[in-house]
Amino acid sequence: MEKRNAPQHEHRLATALSGVKKLQEISTRLVTENNINQLYNDILDAAVNLMEADMGSIQLFVPESDELVLLAHKGLDGRTVECWQTVKVPACTAFETVPTMKRRVFIADIEHCESVTEDDREPFRWSAIRSIQTTPLVSRDGKVAGVLSTYWNCIHQPTEYNLWLIDILARQAADLIERSKAEKTLRESEERLRSAVLAAELGTFIWDLEKDEIKPDEQMLNLLEAPAATADLAVLFRSILHPDDANRYESAVEKARAPGGPGLIQEDIRIVLPRGGQRWLAFYARMYSLTAGTTEYMAGCVMDITHKKTLEQHKSEFIAIAGHELKTPVTGIKAYAQLLTDRFYENSEETNFLIIKKLGKLTNRLTKLLNKLLDSTKVMDGPLELNLEKADLNLLIGECVDDLQSLTRIHRIIFHSADRQTVLVDRERITQVLTNLILNAIKYSPDGGDIHVTSETTNDGQIKVSIKDLGIGIADGLKGRIFDRFFRTDDSDMQRLLGMGLGLYICDAIIQQHGGKIGVKSNGQKGTTFYFLLPHPETAVVTMSKSPDIKHTLRQSDNEHNQTA
Ligand code: ADP
């Protein structure tokens, strides 16, 4: 008896061994597969192979919608594929238990199985499927990743051994799918984070609070202007903290670290840069620890907000100055209006006339201020409207110089005119530029002196107008920002010379729109020369739309020009 069964037994053993060997080979391949779609196809091939089946499919289980989504298929007819693309789980009565109950379904003959409805049978028939087994892909932590099915086109009864093999494959496949999905999600989220950090130019760091050691990224080092090899970055960081912000920062850290504290720091702080100047940083950090009850680490990021802070500062200064500037004429107008009412009452003609004249002057001053404000918003919103016509530039300058000379006794405005220069300009706007530059020359030379206005033709045929004063000058570092909206120097001596920091911003826009360039030269101590270049009328290209980019580009080349000038 024993002897008779021996070859059969040996054959079964050999089959078993080859199955296990196959599984082993497949496992090695699956573990090293990184491409998730290839992984699905490899699992499917392995299942069809191990089960000696004719066809197969893998469907992903989406618990949120209770749906099975077809991921990979082998040997199925196109109509079946289309029909099984997305399947609502409870709709298919025979198979609903697979993902929800985590149980295998095996049907040896679909045509004679009572739990398969006639409608459900159709897609099987399209692919000539007669027999099916569907195994849930349950991962080690109990999650159902999907289902793995194999199909035969005849009535089929898989052996216990085949089912054992598919169970092992299914468990491994579920773990791999879960792992691949988790890795993909992690990769995507890392990529998203990296792009956001790069876009915002954030410096990031981890601070070991026990050892007082900072692990910075490159951008953090850049922002602190610290060399890459800085040994004690934490010490360096504290040493460059602005003295006015150091206490606030330290107490924010202390508060965040305190038990039951917020665990968060969100502070705007200044650092004093090693090479001079200061930088505003938005400092965001969160405390965390690897052992309960202590705060060992602080992870966070820093962002350069100097520009934003400067703008905020200019904005509030601007509001204060505009308020102040507007108050003077308004108070005057109010007082004279009151006086006029009283005088009319008393009816003295001559005095009334003088008061009305003063009222008119004050209203003019108010109108000029308001126009400046309005112009600056117009420049922000788009191009100014230009009324272009050919004009003799020397005539325009001459009229302007005569008008402005009458405003000052301590300055002499000297005009060095070139030969007749015809330009294609908006007379009013160019007069506005000349007035602004000459008035600044007067305003910023409080001790008086000569102001030279020169017009000339450059070698390349452009028309250049310069306004040179002997006043307080402009520091080198400020020349690049002098044309910014609301820019005013912080010099306390100059604070008394009230202005809104809008004049040069508007001049810059007007000259650019004429196709020209404006610039400044100053040795930083005494005297300033502003100049503008206008194209020859034959070659003038007037900019009718001025995007911020155009402005930026011109401003950059302008700075280069300043440096070489
Ligand atoms: P404001 O109304 O403040 O004068 P501007 O835009 O005309 O506005 O000028 C901006 C700043 O540029 C001034 O606040 C001043 O600091 C500086 N500035 C302009 N012209 C001169 C000059 N000729 N000499 C020195 N500084 C000047």
Side-chain angles (χ1 to χ4, degrees), residues 332-375:
I333 289 169
K334 241 169 96 183
Y336 283 114
Q338 182 58 47
L339 208 58
L340 202 57
T341 322
D342 297 348
R343 293 285 174 177
F344 265 126
Y345 188 68
E346 289 162 17
N347 204 9
S348 153
E349 288 296 331
E350 166 127 29
T351 341
N352 287 345
F353 170 74
L354 286 176
I355 293 173
I356 288 176
K357 220 173 141 188
K358 284 202 171 171
L359 261 182
K361 268 190 172 172
L362 286 172
T363 321
N364 279 347
R365 196 166 147 198
L366 202 55
T367 315
K368 272 187 199 154
L369 280 171
L370 289 173
N371 280 344
K372 234 183 194 181
L373 275 175
L374 292 175
D375 272 356

Side-chain angles (χ1 to χ4, degrees), residues 228-471:
T230 308
D232 222 333
L233 194 63
V235 174
L236 178 111
F237 179 72
R238 275 191 288 267
S239 76
I240 59 173
L241 258 181
H242 194 287
D244 293 348
D245 296 345
N247 285 345
R248 187 164 46 86
Y249 165 77
E250 293 296 352
S251 65
V253 176
E254 208 174 301
K255 215 166 122 198
R257 282 187 80 176
L264 269 181
I265 303 177
Q266 292 179 333
E267 290 288 334
D268 292 349
I269 49 168
R270 274 163 298 174
I271 53 167
V272 180
L273 296 170
R275 272 180 272 149
Q278 62 178 38
R279 176 169 287 154
W280 272 102
L281 294 178
F283 186 100
Y284 301 114
R286 188 179 201 96
M287 306 293 162
Y288 73 96
S289 65
L290 301 176
T291 38
T294 54
T295 302
E296 297 156 327
Y297 297 98
M298 173 158 84
C301 62
V302 285
M303 187 182 191
D304 189 347
I305 50 163
T306 314
H307 187 61
K308 191 176 137 226
K309 285 283 180 188
T310 315
L311 281 182
E312 269 172 22
Q313 195 187 338
H314 284 166
K315 200 165 116 191
S316 39
E317 273 173 23
F318 167 75
I319 292 169
I321 292 164
H324 188 96
E325 291 256 4
L326 291 171
K327 222 162 103 189
T328 319
V330 169
T331 316
I333 289 169
K334 241 169 96 183
Y336 283 114
Q338 182 58 47
L339 208 58
L340 202 57
T341 322
D342 297 348
R343 293 285 174 177
F344 265 126
Y345 188 68
E346 289 162 17
N347 204 9
S348 153
E349 288 296 331
E350 166 127 29
T351 341
N352 287 345
F353 170 74
L354 286 176
I355 293 173
I356 288 176
K357 220 173 141 188
K358 284 202 171 171
L359 261 182
K361 268 190 172 172
L362 286 172
T363 321
N364 279 347
R365 196 166 147 198
L366 202 55
T367 315
K368 272 187 199 154
L369 280 171
L370 289 173
N371 280 344
K372 234 183 194 181
L373 275 175
L374 292 175
D375 272 356
S376 86
T377 26
K378 268 191 217 159
V379 169
M380 286 281 289
D381 293 345
L384 296 166
E385 235 174 72
L386 293 187
N387 243 332
L388 292 176
E389 53 190 325
K390 284 199 171 168
D392 181 349
L393 184 66
N394 291 327
L395 266 180
L396 283 185
I397 301 175
E399 280 168 18
C400 214
V401 166
D402 288 347
D403 281 355
L404 298 175
Q405 181 62 77
S406 64
L407 297 180
T408 173
R409 291 215 180 110
I410 56 168
H411 300 88
R412 203 159 50 130
I413 311 175
I414 306 154
F415 177 31
H416 311 269
S417 82
D419 294 339
R420 186 186 157 83
Q421 282 173 320
T422 309
V423 279
L424 184 67
V425 290
D426 181 315
R427 283 164 188 267
E428 271 191 36
R429 289 297 185 187
I430 291 297
T431 307
Q432 187 180 344
V433 173
L434 286 164
T435 309
N436 203 107
L437 296 180
I438 300 172
L439 277 179
N440 274 356
I442 296 174
K443 188 153 92 175
Y444 297 104
S445 343
D447 299 333
D450 287 351
I451 295 168
H452 296 271
V453 181
T454 313
S455 73
E456 58 192 311
T457 306
T458 61
N459 291 342
D460 57 358
Q462 298 187 78
I463 288 128
K464 183 174 179 180
V465 179
S466 321
I467 295 98
K468 181 179 173 198
D469 65 55
L470 299 169

Side-chain angles (χ1 to χ4, degrees), residues 321 325 372 436-445 467-475 478 481-491 494 497-507 520 522 527-530:
I321 292 164
E325 291 256 4
K372 234 183 194 181
N436 203 107
L437 296 180
I438 300 172
L439 277 179
N440 274 356
I442 296 174
K443 188 153 92 175
Y444 297 104
S445 343
I467 295 98
K468 181 179 173 198
D469 65 55
L470 299 169
I472 56 177
I474 297 170
L478 301 179
R481 293 160 49 205
I482 205 102
F483 298 97
D484 284 354
R485 196 171 180 228
F486 302 143
F487 177 84
R488 298 179 63 247
T489 162
D490 293 335
D491 190 329
M494 283 170 66
L497 304 170
L498 279 180
M500 291 190 286
L502 288 177
L504 290 179
Y505 172 74
I506 299 167
C507 289
V520 62
S522 173
T528 307
T529 304
F530 277 92

Side-chain angles (χ1 to χ4, degrees), residues 163-174:
L163 294 176
W164 175 72
L165 285 179
I166 195 93
D167 275 344
I168 297 177
L169 178 71
R171 164 61 57 89
Q172 195 185 13

